[in-house]
Amino acid sequence: MAQKILIVTGDAAESLEVLYPYQRLCEEGYEVHIAAPTRKTLRFVVHDFERGFDTYTEKPGYTWPADLAFSEVDPGDYAALVIPGGRAPEYLRNDPELRKILKSFFDTDRPVAQICHGPLLTAAADALRGRHVTAYPALELDMQAAGATFQDTEVVVDGALVSSRAWPDHAHWMREFLRVLRAKAPAT
């Protein structure tokens, strides 16, 4: 039986940061479920970097169904957790059901992959204190306020926590996350 991995996300998540790990982990032999505030078709976005803009731009992206609502998730059913970025983490961090899910993964030292604005969720769950992380560079002060040491690099591995800055760093992020997964929770 394949190990299960949970992706937690919502509307306005970055399309690539949901779908790349989803497909890569399925390809590796894991069973991957997506959880959101409710079971519905999620509407993702595409963030891009364009000349002349001080920050990224946002355009409509793909849609994808959520397999579960946060309230339906039993964290013990999952070997690992993936936390995409985009704008979704800005409002998801206020969800008490999601914070319980996050806390469960950190309390049991299971693998967690976070990217871009995803660390806003782990910060809200008070799971970054004393850790080394990276995130979208604009979150450096948020990471420091959460008690983490911020590093502006493609990927940072701190025990079972693997973090990355944004979708251009996917190859580095998934390569390191898969190393952690293969050691702690092989696909079968």
Side-chain angles (χ1 to χ4, degrees):
M1 181 181 233
Q3 292 268 25
K4 292 194 270 185
I5 296 180
L6 183 66
I7 296 177
V8 293
T9 195
D11 287 327
E14 163 55 52
S15 291
L16 286 173
E17 293 173 4
V18 177
L19 296 177
Y20 179 79
Y22 179 88
Q23 292 170 336
R24 183 66 190 91
L25 293 165
C26 286
E27 177 184 66
E28 194 72 18
Y30 291 94
E31 182 180 337
V32 183
H33 296 161
I34 295 178
T38 61
R39 282 188 194 224
K40 68 174 208 165
T41 298
L42 298 169
R43 301 175 65 106
F44 301 142
V45 297
V46 173
H47 290 140
D48 207 352
F49 305 95
E50 297 182 30
R51 177 177 270 151
F53 277 75
D54 291 334
T55 188
Y56 54 85
T57 60
E58 183 175 284
K59 299 166 187 70
Y62 294 104
T63 59
W64 198 266
D67 300 303
L68 303 158
F70 294 147
S71 62
E72 299 173 301
V73 171
D74 177 351
D77 290 345
Y78 296 91
L81 177 67
V82 176
I83 307 169
R87 280 188 301 112
E90 293 174 10
Y91 68 91
L92 292 177
R93 63 185 163 177
N94 297 312
D95 188 303
E97 290 295 323
L98 178 55
R99 288 196 307 271
K100 284 188 231 171
I101 292 167
L102 297 168
K103 185 171 176 1
S104 174
F105 279 88
F106 282 93
D107 286 351
T108 55
D109 196 35
R110 283 176 281 166
V112 174
Q114 62 182 11
I115 192 167
C116 194
H117 284 71
L120 290 173
L121 296 179
T122 51
D126 195 30
L128 298 182
R129 194 166 313 285
R131 293 189 173 268
H132 290 81
V133 300
T134 193
Y136 188 71
L139 298 185
E140 180 176 0
L141 295 177
D142 299 278
M143 298 299 96
Q144 291 170 349
T149 300
F150 178 83
Q151 297 173 258
D152 187 3
T153 188
E154 292 92 356
V155 65
V156 173
V157 179
D158 186 323
L161 176 63
V162 181
S163 57
S164 203
R165 295 177 299 195
W167 62 262
D169 297 329
H170 272 165
H172 304 283
W173 182 49
M174 278 294 108
R175 182 174 42 250
E176 293 304 319
F177 187 56
L178 285 167
R179 279 190 189 138
V180 171
L181 277 176
R182 288 177 186 131
K184 291 189 130 235
T188 53

